C-alpha cells in the first residue's frame, strides 16, 4: 500500500524568501520567491497577454520554458478547474512583477501561488519584467534559470550554459499522450456562448497529439466532430484504421524540424488526396515541412493575444504562441498558397494546398485565452469534411 504523501506547504503571502533569475548571457535579476521552492532551467520567453495566466502555464506548448508575464500583476482571479489546458502545468517556471495574494473571482478555487506550489512550478516575483522583455527583444530568447533554494548564481550560470538550446529539441514526444483516447466534451465553462453544432452524424476526426490543448478538442467537438486522439508517433495505418473523415495536427512545443515521425505522417497523409487535414501552430509547421519547406527560429517568438494576421480583404486579431515559423520562400508555390501573413513581421500565418483539402494556421483559433476572431477555421475544416460525405 502506498504511503500517503503530505500536501506541499504553501508559503505565506508575506513570505520574503529571496529568488534569483540568471540568463545565459550572465545577466542576473533578483527578486522574491513564489510557487515551489527549488531551481529550474529553461528557455526564457515572454507573453504579452493581459489575461490567461492559467491557460498559458498549462499549455503543453510551453514545455521547457520559463514564462515572463508582461502584465504587471498576476493572480487577481486565482485558479479554477475549468480553465486548465492539461492535467498539470507544463511551463517550468514563472517570472512576474507582482503576485496578487488575495484573488477576487466567483470562479476562484485557490490562489495562483497555492497552485504553483502544488504543481511544482518554481517562480520569481518582484522582477522588472519590462526591462527583462526589452533585454529579450534586443538579444533574442535565452536559456535561463530560476532559483529560490539558495543555489548561487555562478552554479546556475554553469547549468544554464550546459542546457540544450530549443533548436533541435523534439519536445512533442515528451508531452504527447501515450495511449489513444476519445474526447466528447464541447466546453468546460457553462457560460461559453460560442457556436455549437450538433449534426445527426458527427464527423469522425483523428487528432494527432503533439501537445494538444483541451480548448482545441472542445472547439472541434463544438463544431460537430467526434474526436479520437492518437500519440505523436502514430502511423498512417493507425490513422486510417479509424476511418477518419478528417485529420487534425495539433499544436505543441519545441523545434518542428525535430518531430521526424510527425513530418513523416504528414507526408503520408498528403498522399491521401481526398482526406481533409487541418494543422494548428506546430501542426501547421509540420505540414509545411512535409511539403518540402523549411522552418526557422524567431528571435523572441510570438506569444500574446493581440497579433494581427491578414488575408486579402480581412484582418483577424489572434492569439499566438510559437517560437518557430515557416520560411515562405521555401514552400512550393505551385502547390501551396500562403493565405495569411502576420501583419507585424510578415511571417507565414496560414497556408492552404491549391488542389487538396489541406490547410494550416500558425495562430490559435480556439483562443483560450484570446479573441474569437479565428473560430471560423474550425467551421472551415468541418465544411471540407461535409463536402466529401
Amino acid at each position: 500500500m502506498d504511503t500517503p504523501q503530505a500536501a506541499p506547504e504553501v508559503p505565506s503571502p508575506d513570505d520574503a524568501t529571496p529568488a534569483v533569475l540568471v540568463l545565459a548571457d550572465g545577466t542576473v535579476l533578483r527578486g522574491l520567491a513564489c510557487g515551489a521552492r527549488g531551481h529550474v532551467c529553461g528557455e526564457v520567453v515572454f507573453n504579452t497577454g493581459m489575461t490567461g495566466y492559467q491557460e498559458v502555464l498549462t499549455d503543453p506548448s510551453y514545455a521547457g520554458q520559463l514564462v515572463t508575464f508582461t502584465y504587471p500583476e498576476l493572480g487577481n482571479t486565482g485558479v479554477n478547474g475549468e480553465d486548465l489546458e492539461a492535467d498539470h502545468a507544463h511551463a517550468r517556471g514563472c517570472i512576474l512583477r507582482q503576485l496578487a495574494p488575495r484573488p477576487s473571482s466567483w470562479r476562484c478555487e485557490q490562489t495562483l501561488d497555492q497552485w504553483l506550489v502544488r504543481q511544482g512550478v518554481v517562480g520569481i516575483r518582484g522582477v522588472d519584467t519590462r526591462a527583462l522583455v526589452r533585454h529579450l527583444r534586443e538579444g533574442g530568447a535565452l536559456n535561463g534559470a530560476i532559483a529560490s533554494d539558495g543555489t548561487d548564481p555562478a552554479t546556475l550560470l554553469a547549468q544554464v550554459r550546459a542546457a540544450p538550446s530549443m533548436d533541435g529539441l523534439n519536445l512533442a514526444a515528451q508531452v504527447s499522450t501515450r495511449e489513444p483516447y476519445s474526447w466528447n466534451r464541447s466546453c468546460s465553462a457553462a457560460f461559453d456562448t460560442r457556436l455549437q453544432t450538433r449534426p445527426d452524424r458527427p464527423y469522425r476526426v483523428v487528432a494527432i497529439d503533439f501537445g494538444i490543448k483541451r480548448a482545441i478538442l472542445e472547439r472541434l467537438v463544438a463544431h460537430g466532430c467526434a474526436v479520437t486522439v492518437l500519440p505523436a508517433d502514430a502511423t498512417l495505418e493507425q490513422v486510417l484504421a479509424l476511418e477518419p473523415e478528417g485529420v487534425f495536427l495539433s499544436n505543441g512545443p519545441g523545434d518542428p524540424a525535430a518531430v521526424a515521425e510527425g513530418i513523416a505522417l504528414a507526408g503520408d497523409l498528403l498522399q491521401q488526396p481526398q482526406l481533409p487535414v487541418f494543422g494548428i501552430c506546430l501542426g501547421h509547421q509540420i505540414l509545411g515541412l512535409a511539403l518540402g519547406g523549411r522552418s526557422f527560429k524567431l528571435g523572441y517568438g510570438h506569444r500574446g493575444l493581440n497579433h494581427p494576421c491578414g488575408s486579402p480583404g480581412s484582418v483577424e486579431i489572434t492569439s499566438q504562441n510559437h517560437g518557430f515559423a515557416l520560411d515562405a520562400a521555401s514552400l512550393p508555390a505551385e502547390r501551396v498558397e500562403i493565405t495569411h501573413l502576420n501583419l507585424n513581421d510578415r511571417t507565414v500565418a496560414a497556408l492552404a494546398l491549391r488542389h487538396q483539402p489541406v490547410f494550416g494556421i500558425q495562430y490559435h483559433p480556439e483562443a483560450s485565452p484570446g479573441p474569437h476572431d479565428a473560430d471560423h477555421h474550425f467551421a472551415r475544416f468541418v465544411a471540407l469534411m461535409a463536402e466529401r460525405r
Side-chain angles (χ1 to χ4, degrees):
M1 182 175 179
D2 293 337
T3 303
Q5 298 296 309
E9 181 179 352
V10 178
S12 161
D14 300 320
D15 181 47
T17 301
V20 64
L21 169 65
V22 176
L23 302 180
D25 62 2
T27 301
V28 177
L29 299 174
R30 299 184 183 275
L32 299 174
C34 62
R37 300 298 183 259
H39 64 274
V40 63
C41 291
E43 183 184 45
V44 181
V45 299
F46 62 88
N47 184 290
T48 59
M50 295 178 64
T51 186
Y53 53 82
Q54 183 177 336
E55 293 93 326
V56 166
L57 292 167
T58 55
D59 182 347
S61 294
Y62 281 100
Q65 295 178 326
L66 313 180
V67 185
T68 307
F69 290 91
T70 63
Y71 191 70
E73 184 169 74
L74 254 63
N76 304 69
T77 55
V79 175
N80 67 77
E82 294 180 334
D83 293 342
L84 301 173
E85 292 297 339
D87 288 333
H88 59 87
H90 282 276
R92 287 183 181 170
C94 181
I95 303 164
L96 56 134
R97 178 67 174 180
Q98 183 169 314
L99 180 65
R102 297 172 183 84
S104 177
S105 171
W106 62 275
R107 302 176 70 210
C108 177
E109 297 170 3
Q110 57 187 312
T111 70
L112 176 58
D113 199 33
Q114 290 169 336
W115 183 82
L116 290 172
V117 170
R118 290 165 181 150
Q119 292 291 314
V121 178
V122 178
I124 181 171
R125 60 188 173 93
V127 172
D128 185 343
T129 50
R130 287 188 175 187
L132 176 57
V133 169
R134 286 198 301 269
H135 189 72
L136 296 175
R137 282 178 62 92
E138 292 169 3
L142 294 166
N143 278 351
I146 302 170
S148 56
D149 59 1
T151 304
D152 67 274
T155 299
L156 292 172
L157 182 60
Q159 293 176 358
V160 168
R161 289 180 172 172
S165 164
M166 193 61 74
D167 280 307
L169 287 186
N170 180 5
L171 296 180
Q174 298 179 21
V175 302
S176 177
T177 182
R178 297 293 180 263
E179 299 293 334
Y181 64 92
S182 298
W183 188 274
N184 57 17
R185 191 177 72 195
S186 62
C187 65
S188 55
F191 53 82
D192 187 343
T193 59
R194 285 179 292 177
L195 168 72
Q196 294 202 32
T197 302
R198 288 285 183 267
D200 293 334
R201 279 196 301 140
Y203 296 92
R204 298 185 307 277
V205 170
V206 170
I208 308 301
D209 177 15
F210 300 117
I212 198 166
K213 294 173 63 180
R214 285 180 178 170
I216 291 176
L217 292 170
E218 291 175 354
R219 292 315 294 158
L220 285 168
V221 172
H223 280 270
C225 301
V227 185
T228 301
V229 183
L230 295 184
D233 61 356
T235 64
L236 179 66
E237 291 71 26
Q238 290 170 322
V239 171
L240 296 183
L242 295 168
E243 299 182 343
E245 295 177 273
V247 177
F248 174 75
L249 306 178
S250 87
N251 64 295
D255 185 346
V259 190
E261 289 168 315
I263 297 169
L265 173 61
D268 290 339
L269 291 170
L270 293 172
Q271 300 304 310
Q272 311 296 312
Q274 293 303 310
L275 182 63
V277 180
F278 174 26
I280 288 177
C281 203
L282 183 70
H284 153 87
Q285 296 163 357
I286 285 172
L287 272 177
L289 292 168
L291 288 161
R294 296 185 299 273
S295 60
F296 65 96
K297 196 172 191 307
L298 295 163
Y300 46 82
H302 300 164
R303 299 176 181 89
L305 312 182
N306 62 348
H307 292 256
C309 292
S311 61
S314 69
V315 174
E316 297 173 0
I317 304 302
T318 69
S319 177
Q320 299 199 9
N321 170 25
H322 57 277
F324 291 80
L326 291 173
D327 176 3
S330 71
L331 296 168
E334 71 282 358
R335 192 175 182 190
V336 177
E337 178 187 4
I338 297 173
T339 60
H340 295 67
L341 294 174
N342 185 302
L343 300 183
N344 288 331
D345 63 4
R346 311 299 290 180
T347 51
V348 177
L351 60 80
L353 265 63
R354 298 185 186 278
H355 306 296
Q356 284 181 241
V358 175
F359 71 103
I361 60 175
Q362 182 64 78
Y363 45 95
H364 283 264
E366 79 286 354
S368 189
H372 299 165
D373 296 25
D375 190 69
H376 64 91
H377 289 293
F378 291 106
R380 176 183 173 190
F381 181 43
V382 168
L384 290 174
M385 292 186 285
E387 290 172 6
R388 285 157 181 79
R389 271 200 166 171

